[in-house]
Amino acid sequence: MPHTATEQIEDGGSASKPQSIIKLGKAPDDSDYKGANRRLKDIEICVPIVYGTIAFYLGRKASESQSHKWTVYVRGAANEDLGAVIKHVVFQLHPSFNSPIRIVESPPFELSECGWGEFEIAISLFFHSDVCDKQLDLYHHLKLYPEDESGPQSTKKPVVMESYNEIVFPDPSECFFARVQNHPAVLVPQLPAGFSLPVPVENMNENGKGDTKDHPLSQWFINFSGADELLKIAAAREQVQAHIVKLRRQLSVIDGMPQPLKPASSYECK
């Protein structure tokens, strides 16, 4: 699990801000670079995500078994729709909940509940078939009470805990690359000249229902300090990756050229 640093934010909540890069993907063989859905060798696609919880104290409506209403979610780092990459998300709650394993099959990937206790939530991300055949398991601690517990808890200021990660997909399929190359939630490198990609399929969520920019809880989403810089660094890393691909291709061309003959030695046997 990534290292976590917690800070107090202006609204009285707290933000968990790890910075971690997670690489996903299978070890491809030569056949993966041929055929109708080839993989792009030495290319990486980066998807920044945020996952976390927002918890509101119910105040006078609170009971022993239901003192807080909370929401757990997975969202884009800048509140973009992740439906083009993620197919569905499985949230595993505490066994005391009815049907503790919940599946959310379309964005926004979130669920809300009421309860009284803190516990660890397992979050499993499943991706579209052209993205990755592996699931990604994340873990998040549901936090109901602020760090500073002096005085009564506010019903207007929620406790917010969020984590930032970058998911990297090495050697993506051409279909995946073509489908997300202009998607705001996805960072893709510029391909070298001469690359031809298949025509992308329709946007899987063109109605925008998964866009969290207008989410009712968006005012509480953490604006990570330096988040813009993190995204710029990630974008720069993708450009460096593209330059490396270009250099490797140039080297491969040079390696395939006939080598010049070595000059004769200036020493002669007499």
Side-chain angles (χ1 to χ4, degrees), residues 54-73:
I54 295 179
F56 285 90
Y57 177 54
L58 295 178
R60 293 180 180 180
K61 298 179 180 179
S63 64
E64 283 190 18
S65 61
Q66 295 189 346
S67 60
H68 292 75
K69 181 177 181 180
W70 51 264
T71 301
V72 58
Y73 51 85

Side-chain angles (χ1 to χ4, degrees), residues 35-172:
N37 191 20
R38 297 178 301 172
R39 290 184 173 273
L40 300 173
K41 190 175 182 180
D42 299 324
I43 296 293
E44 290 183 346
I45 288 178
C46 178
V47 182
I49 68 165
V50 172
Y51 57 97
T53 51
I54 295 179
F56 285 90
Y57 177 54
L58 295 178
R60 293 180 180 180
K61 298 179 180 179
S63 64
E64 283 190 18
S65 61
Q66 295 189 346
S67 60
H68 292 75
K69 181 177 181 180
W70 51 264
T71 301
V72 58
Y73 51 85
V74 179
R75 64 180 179 87
N79 302 339
E80 309 94 341
D81 178 9
L82 294 175
V85 179
I86 298 175
K87 183 177 183 180
H88 65 270
V89 176
V90 177
F91 297 95
Q92 185 168 346
L93 309 182
H94 191 273
S96 61
F97 284 87
N98 292 328
S99 304
I101 298 178
R102 313 283 180 87
I103 303 175
V104 181
E105 299 195 7
S106 61
F109 299 108
E110 65 181 39
L111 66 86
S112 297
E113 267 291 358
C114 289
W116 59 270
E118 299 181 347
F119 59 93
E120 186 176 67
I121 302 174
I123 305 172
S124 297
L125 309 185
F126 293 81
F127 305 96
H128 292 290
S129 58
D130 64 348
V131 176
C132 183
D133 55 4
K134 295 180 180 179
Q135 71 184 62
L136 174 60
D137 295 324
L138 304 169
Y139 299 90
H140 180 80
H141 183 76
L142 170 63
K143 190 170 182 61
L144 304 181
Y145 302 96
E147 296 291 334
D148 182 9
E149 296 187 8
S150 61
Q153 187 172 354
S154 171
T155 58
K156 296 181 179 180
K157 297 178 181 178
V159 174
V160 183
M161 290 288 291
E162 292 191 330
S163 299
Y164 173 93
N165 288 116
E166 294 173 8
I167 308 175
V168 176
F169 300 96
D171 298 346

Side-chain angles (χ1 to χ4, degrees), residues 207-270:
N207 58 4
K209 67 178 181 179
D211 194 342
T212 53
K213 291 184 183 298
D214 297 323
H215 194 284
L217 296 176
S218 61
Q219 63 174 313
W220 305 112
F221 289 160
I222 302 302
N223 181 14
F224 289 90
S225 59
D228 290 341
E229 292 302 317
L230 290 172
L231 294 177
K232 288 179 182 178
I233 290 172
R237 185 173 62 246
E238 297 306 312
Q239 295 304 318
V240 170
Q241 186 70 22
H243 188 60
I244 291 174
V245 171
K246 181 179 179 181
L247 291 177
R248 284 179 176 173
R249 292 183 181 277
Q250 291 175 344
L251 288 174
S252 65
V253 171
I254 294 174
D255 290 341
M257 296 175 61
Q259 300 297 316
L261 296 175
K262 294 183 178 180
S265 173
S266 57
Y267 296 97
E268 296 182 359
C269 296
K270 295 182 180 179

Side-chain angles (χ1 to χ4, degrees), residues 9-21:
I9 58 176
E10 291 181 359
D11 60 17
S14 60
S16 170
K17 305 195 308 177
Q19 299 171 12
S20 176
I21 297 176

